[in-house]
């Protein structure tokens, strides 16, 4: 009964931000605070540091940045997750798709990292997609206690534990995801 | 109805009280009852004695003890917990709204409790077990947007509450404890089930047990299946329960097996099978589900379309061409939810047929800011022209114009709820380049019954001056990435005299704007301001001036330490009769 149901909740207890982050000096790296310090009506893109400027937008007032803002637009993550599961087979568009495999599952899936704005949401999405329980992350012990451990391959080809680096760094370096069985994932946890 | 008369006495006052109690038994509206309770002590007592349905809009506005002391004979309790922005990850997960103190408070006081309705509460499996054990006459459990429990908790309820009539799980986060809860209903004989809705349960269901259960539930009217029920299984259930009025259809696709797709002629037979299944469910008025729809099966619902009053396709990725053959039969439709995949063209089709439409919600299939805009001002305009009786709209889009919003304000004067979400923050009218002030201004001005408003797009303080000036009936206002200065907030707090719930994020409103609401805060249910420009001192001042207001300050990412900037990350404040809550986690500062 004291199961991993609330592990997701506990997962969010852990402060995933580290001192290392990508951002302009003097900014606190949080998009919403940067926005709220705007004055006047000027909201042009030159005021925003953007690490992931993507495609063109024909409007004169193109959105200042393509960074994702937490909780915006106000669509419940419940809806986002459901649609994510179905979207994987359809058009790619401008998403940030990575392959996801789970040990023991016969098929690979594809997942758009841009659909998520935090580790919490990503883990929830993985759990929905693969109908598994991943649960609790801690800096010290990784995903101790869960049967499944999410890992990813980064730009350098190394396999890392999901959750170790700040979210923004993760989505820019993640090439593919693999949900390992916890018995095989021991070695990764010790890297921290 | 009050039972036997306990106060036998010759005093005329008591006779009057008994008469009053008998009369009040017929009074159900809580607003009327609140008014009655203010007349005098005797009326207060009589009303308290006869109130059987208690509604608590904010679980932290008072203690469970206060409720059970005042209302002693309660059959039904409704409790709301977290503020709505919790839905969008703006509230740290273990912030609160625990059901536990309520269930333990009520367990002794309300032995005859029959119904519990919770929204945005944290409910544990133990809480559910306590419900199952404490209320022998328990009949209805409705959980909306709740979390913290799993299939084990559900199993406890269904196995022990023999009189269960209603079990509705709506948009909850239900963890999979690998418990076969559907098999836990009492095994033999007919059930009392009238409503069983578990669309949101993200775990497989034992179909055999479900079918057996449905077959012996003659009173079952509402059945909401989750996405693990295939269309073939749905068919079987429908033949067992042709009396259904509300149906959540589950996945609405066949199971994913390669061999299934090789037999196309079987597919055609299947579609016609499903058509006849729907044809025999003559009472269906409300359809939802379609979680993983195979669009070629959608026409199967046509036999019930003419009677449908509510159709929820908001998980169905279908286009206009797939929608049209179905929607053109839905003349009586009052409620329609869809994805923007249907496009402006799909909305046009809705507008042509659904002349009685009261509520429309259009959700984005791609919720990113630079996403493809599938619906626009054209769809909104079409709806406003075709659906003149519209009362409630939630519309997500990538672009909008003032002209279309103004048109809607004039074409749909009955609007009570207007929620427009232009996904790109700070988006102006995409034709004129102007802010969206005039559009929203027209809405508050022309829609005289408006009680709920959500704004978006590029908005200046002028928009808020309109809202304050004309939005006299507005009770709920949602603001995001809008406004220029404190004056915007001042307009709203001074002008909107019926404002109850104010939720603001990422807008340049600060302390002086906040202070202009001091005379109002005790009359409001809550105020939420996140990523705005209020300072800790400003919040402290409010807390000092209004001792009965609980002023919570915290960071979304739960850091306890000092603020990273001068501004408070999140301010959430609400009135309370019983002071600050005792269960606030460490990262919440109550000023």
């Amino acid at each position: 009964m004291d199961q991993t149901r609330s592990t997701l909740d506990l997962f969010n207890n852990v402060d995933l931000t580290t001192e290392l982050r990508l951002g302009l000096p003097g900014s606190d790296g949080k998009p919403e605070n940067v926005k709220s310090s705007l004055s006047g009506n000027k909201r042009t893109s030159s005021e925003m540091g953007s690490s992931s400027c993507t495609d063109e937008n024909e409007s004169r007032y193109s959105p200042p940045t393509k960074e994702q803002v937490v909780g915006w637009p106000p669509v419940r993550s419940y809806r986002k997750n459901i649609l994510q599961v179905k979207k994987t087979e359809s058009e790619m568009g401008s998403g940030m798709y990575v392959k996801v495999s789970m040990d023991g599952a016969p098929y690979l899936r594809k997942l758009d990292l841009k659909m998520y704005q935090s580790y919490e949401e990503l883990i929830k999405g993985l759990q929905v997609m693969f109908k598994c329980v991943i649960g609790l992350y801690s800096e010290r012990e990784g995903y101790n206690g869960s049967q499944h451990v999410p890992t990813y391959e980064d730009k350098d080809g190394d396999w890392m534990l999901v959750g170790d680096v700040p979210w923004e760094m993760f989505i820019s370096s993640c090439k593919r995801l693999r949900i390992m069985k916890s018995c095989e994932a021991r070695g990764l946890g010790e890297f921290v | 109805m009050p039972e036997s008369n306990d106060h036998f006495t010759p005093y005329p006052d008591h006779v009057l009280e008994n008469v009053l109690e008998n009369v009040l038994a017929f009074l159900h509206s809580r607003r009327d009852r609140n008014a009655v309770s203010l007349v005098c002590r005797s009326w207060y007592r009589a009303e308290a004695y006869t109130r059987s349905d208690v509604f608590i809009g904010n679980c932290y506005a008072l203690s469970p003890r206060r409720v059970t002391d005042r209302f002693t004979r309660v059959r039904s309790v409704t409790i709301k917990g977290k503020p709505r922005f919790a839905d969008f990850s703006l509230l740290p997960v273990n912030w609160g709204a625990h059901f536990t103190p309520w269930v333990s408070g009520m367990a002794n006081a309300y032995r005859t409790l029959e119904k519990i309705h919770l929204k945005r509460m944290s409910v544990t499996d133990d809480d559910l077990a306590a419900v199952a054990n404490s209320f022998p006459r328990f009949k209805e459990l409705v959980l909306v947007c709740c979390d913290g429990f799993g299939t084990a908790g559900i199993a406890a309820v269904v196995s022990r509450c023999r009189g269960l009539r209603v079990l509705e799980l709506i948009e909850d986060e239900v963890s999979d404890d690998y418990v076969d809860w559907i098999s836990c209903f009492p095994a033999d004989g007919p059930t009392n089930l009238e409503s069983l809705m578990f669309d949101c349960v993200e775990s497989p269901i034992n179909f055999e047990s479900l079918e057996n259960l449905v077959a012996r539930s003659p009173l079952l009217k509402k059945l909401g299946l989750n996405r693990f029920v295939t269309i073939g299984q749905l068919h079987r259930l429908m033949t067992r329960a042709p009396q259904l009025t509300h149906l959540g259809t589950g996945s609405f696709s066949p199971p994913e097996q390669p061999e299934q797709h090789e037999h196309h002629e079987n597919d055609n037979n299947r579609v016609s099978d499903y058509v006849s299944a729907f044809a025999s469910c003559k009472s269906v008025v409300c359809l939802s589900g379609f979680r993983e729809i195979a669009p070629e099966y959608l026409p199967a619902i046509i036999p019930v379309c003419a009677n449908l009053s509510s159709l929820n396709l908001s998980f169905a990725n279908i286009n206009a061409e797939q929608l049209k053959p179905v929607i053109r039969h839905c003349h009586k439709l009052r409620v329609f939810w869809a994805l923007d995949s249907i496009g402006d063209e799909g909305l046009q089709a809705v507008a042509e047929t659904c002349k009685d439409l009261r509520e429309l919600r259009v959700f984005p299939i791609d919720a990113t800011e630079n996403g493809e805009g599938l619906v626009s001002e054209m769809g909104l305009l079409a709806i406003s022209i075709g659906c003149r009786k519209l009362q409630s709209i939630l519309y997500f889009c990538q672009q909008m114009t003032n002209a279309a919003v103004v048109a809607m304000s004039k074409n749909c004067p009955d609007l009570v709820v207007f929620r427009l979400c232009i996904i790109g923050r700070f988006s102006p009218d995409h034709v004129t380049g102007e802010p969206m002030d005039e559009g929203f201004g027209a809405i508050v001005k022309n829609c005289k019954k408006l009680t709920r408003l959500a704004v978006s797009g590029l908005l200046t303080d002028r928009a808020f001056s309109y809202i304050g000036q004309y939005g006299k009936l507005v009770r709920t206002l949602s603001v995001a990435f809008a406004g220029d200065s404190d004056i915007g907030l001042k307009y709203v707090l001074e002008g909107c005299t019926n404002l109850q719930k104010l939720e603001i994020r990422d807008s340049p409103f600060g302390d002086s704007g906040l202070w202009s609401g001091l005379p109002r805060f005790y009359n409001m249910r809550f105020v939420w301001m996140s990523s705005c420009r209020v300072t800790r001192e400003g919040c402290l001042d409010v807390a000092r001036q209004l001792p009965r207001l609980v002023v919570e300050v915290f960071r979304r990412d739960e850091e306890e330490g000092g603020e990273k900037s001068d501004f408070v990350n999140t301010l959430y404040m609400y009135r309370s009769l019983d002071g600050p809550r005792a269960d606030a986690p460490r990262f919440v500062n109550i000023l």
Side-chain angles (χ1 to χ4, degrees), chain A residues 1-6 8-19 21 28 30-43 48 52-87 89-91 93-94 107 109 112 114-118 120-121 124 127-133 147-148, chain B residues 84 87-90 93-94 120 123-126 145 147-150 152-153 170-173 175-178 199-202 204 227-228 258 290-293 312 314-317 337 339 363-370 396 399 421-433 455-456 458-460 480-484 505-508 531-533 555-559 564-565 567 569 587:
Chain A
M1 196 71 95
D2 303 334
Q3 247 284 8
T4 48
R5 158 188 55 277
S6 48
L8 255 194
D9 304 331
L10 295 174
F11 176 81
N12 294 305
N13 248 335
V14 177
D15 187 352
L16 292 173
T17 58
T18 70
E19 288 307 301
R21 55 172 175 78
D28 61 3
K30 295 206 184 349
E32 58 266 28
N33 280 347
V34 177
K35 301 264 175 310
S36 66
S37 65
L38 283 176
S39 56
N41 289 330
K42 296 213 180 88
R43 290 177 179 91
M48 301 295 150
S52 54
C53 267
T54 55
D55 51 355
E56 64 297 337
N57 187 324
E58 55 275 14
S59 158
R60 270 184 287 159
Y61 296 81
S62 54
T65 176
K66 304 296 189 288
E67 292 170 42
Q68 286 181 319
V69 175
V70 174
W72 186 263
V75 176
R76 298 196 63 223
S77 55
Y78 172 74
R79 277 190 181 278
K80 281 189 194 164
N81 277 342
I82 304 296
L83 292 173
Q84 173 65 54
V85 170
K86 290 184 318 189
K87 215 182 147 192
E89 289 89 37
S90 60
E91 86 294 332
S94 57
Y107 300 108
R109 307 297 300 271
D112 180 3
K114 276 175 64 178
M115 294 284 289
Y116 305 103
Q117 288 149 2
S118 67
E120 171 202 342
E121 290 188 12
K124 279 187 191 173
Q127 295 189 152
V128 167
M129 185 184 266
F130 288 98
K131 304 183 184 73
C132 64
V133 174
Q147 289 182 333
H148 298 104
Chain B
R84 197 180 70 96
D87 293 353
F88 315 123
S89 308
L90 293 180
V93 170
N94 49 353
R120 288 197 194 94
V123 182
T124 65
D125 287 340
D126 288 343
C145 301
D147 62 7
F149 66 100
I170 299 170
E171 296 195 15
D172 305 304
E173 268 189 47
S175 74
D176 188 358
D177 304 324
Y178 303 101
D199 313 51
C200 62
V201 177
E202 284 292 311
R227 64 182 178 90
F228 293 86
F290 309 104
R291 289 308 186 113
E292 292 167 350
I293 190 174
N312 180 352
S314 64
F315 292 98
N317 186 356
W337 292 23
L339 286 174
F363 295 93
I365 200 165
D366 175 6
T368 56
E369 289 194 56
N370 53 343
F396 284 85
Q399 64 185 38
C421 181
I422 307 170
I423 295 176
R425 291 161 289 150
F426 314 113
S427 296
D429 177 321
H430 82 95
V431 166
T432 66
V455 301
S456 62
L458 181 66
L459 292 170
T460 71
F481 303 100
D484 300 322
R505 63 166 295 183
D506 293 272
S507 300
S531 303
C532 295
R533 314 193 78 186
R555 294 188 58 80
R556 186 181 53 80
D557 58 15
E558 298 177 43
E559 274 179 34
K564 281 200 172 144
S565 69
F567 303 128
N569 179 260
F587 58 83

Side-chain angles (χ1 to χ4, degrees), chain B residues 309-321:
Chain B
S309 59
S310 172
L311 178 59
N312 180 352
L313 291 171
S314 64
F315 292 98
N317 186 356
I318 56 169
N319 58 32
E321 288 316 305

Side-chain angles (χ1 to χ4, degrees), chain B residues 25-298:
Chain B
F26 294 101
L27 199 66
H28 301 295
S29 146
R30 66 176 191 265
R31 291 203 172 92
D32 288 345
R33 282 188 158 271
N34 291 346
V36 161
S37 71
L38 293 175
V39 169
C40 64
R41 283 198 191 286
S42 159
W43 282 47
Y44 176 93
R45 279 195 303 269
E47 193 283 311
Y49 190 70
T50 56
R51 189 182 297 218
S52 61
D53 300 351
V54 174
F55 172 87
I56 295 155
N58 175 4
C59 64
Y60 287 125
L62 76 177
S63 65
R65 181 64 189 273
R66 187 178 287 268
V67 177
T68 55
D69 281 349
R70 177 173 171 183
F71 302 110
T72 52
R73 304 163 87 237
V74 169
R75 302 241 182 81
S76 153
V77 169
T78 300
I79 310 176
K80 294 188 173 182
K82 302 175 196 176
R84 197 180 70 96
F85 274 5
D87 293 353
F88 315 123
S89 308
L90 293 180
L91 193 70
V93 170
N94 49 353
W95 172 84
H98 302 290
F99 183 49
T100 310
W102 289 93
V103 68
S104 50
M106 292 189 301
N108 292 325
Y110 295 152
R111 298 295 297 163
T112 53
L113 190 69
E114 294 179 3
K115 174 177 172 183
I116 292 175
H117 183 143
L118 303 179
K119 186 167 185 181
R120 288 197 194 94
M121 299 284 291
S122 283
V123 182
T124 65
D125 287 340
D126 288 343
D127 294 338
L128 292 177
V131 168
N133 291 328
S134 309
F135 308 116
R137 290 207 217 159
F138 194 69
K139 296 192 170 79
E140 294 190 22
L141 181 65
V142 177
L143 301 177
V144 180
C145 301
C146 296
D147 62 7
F149 66 100
T151 47
I154 306 175
V157 172
V158 306
S159 62
R160 276 168 254 176
C161 300
R162 301 213 144 227
L164 195 67
R165 291 195 300 217
V166 171
L167 175 65
E168 291 180 359
L169 304 169
I170 299 170
E171 296 195 15
D172 305 304
E173 268 189 47
V174 183
S175 74
D176 188 358
D177 304 324
Y178 303 101
V179 171
D180 181 6
W181 61 276
I182 202 80
S183 302
C184 293
F185 280 89
D188 37 76
T191 75
N192 294 315
L193 274 179
E194 294 171 16
S195 173
L196 177 64
M197 312 203 56
F198 59 94
D199 313 51
C200 62
V201 177
E202 284 292 311
S203 45
I205 199 91
N206 179 334
F207 182 71
E208 209 179 294
S209 287
L210 174 62
E211 191 176 12
N212 173 282
L213 183 69
V214 168
R216 57 193 177 91
S217 300
L219 303 174
L220 193 68
K221 292 281 195 280
K222 301 186 186 184
L223 180 62
L225 305 167
N226 69 9
R227 64 182 178 90
F228 293 86
V229 178
T230 66
I231 193 170
Q233 291 171 331
L234 168 67
H235 182 194
R236 286 168 61 173
L237 293 173
M238 289 173 73
T239 56
R240 300 286 194 175
Q243 77 282 4
L244 289 175
T245 58
H246 293 60
L247 179 61
T249 60
S251 71
F252 217 70
S253 62
E256 288 171 13
Q257 283 160 20
E259 49 277 21
Q260 203 81 357
H261 296 297
E262 289 167 13
H263 302 111
H264 291 293
E265 58 277 16
N266 280 356
D267 274 357
N268 285 339
N269 289 342
R270 289 255 166 75
V271 176
S272 61
D273 281 347
Y274 302 144
V275 170
S276 57
F278 277 94
S280 51
C281 281
K282 298 184 196 308
S283 313
V284 166
V285 291
C286 175
L287 269 185
S288 61
F290 309 104
R291 289 308 186 113
E292 292 167 350
I293 190 174
E296 62 270 23
Y297 290 108
L298 187 59

Side-chain angles (χ1 to χ4, degrees), chain B residues 510-570:
Chain B
D511 295 337
S512 75
L514 185 65
W515 293 333
S516 59
L518 280 173
R520 289 215 42 77
F521 293 144
Y522 277 159
N523 293 329
M524 295 177 67
R525 187 177 295 173
F526 71 79
V527 173
W528 168 291
M529 291 181 71
S530 60
S531 303
C532 295
R533 314 193 78 186
V534 285
T535 66
R536 196 185 166 87
E537 289 68 41
C539 298
L540 266 169
D541 266 352
V542 173
R544 280 192 213 111
Q545 303 268 358
L546 300 174
R548 299 274 213 157
L549 206 64
V550 175
V551 180
E552 295 193 11
V553 163
F554 51 88
R555 294 188 58 80
R556 186 181 53 80
D557 58 15
E558 298 177 43
E559 274 179 34
E560 299 171 37
E563 293 296 322
K564 281 200 172 144
S565 69
D566 290 331
F567 303 128
V568 151
N569 179 260
T570 304

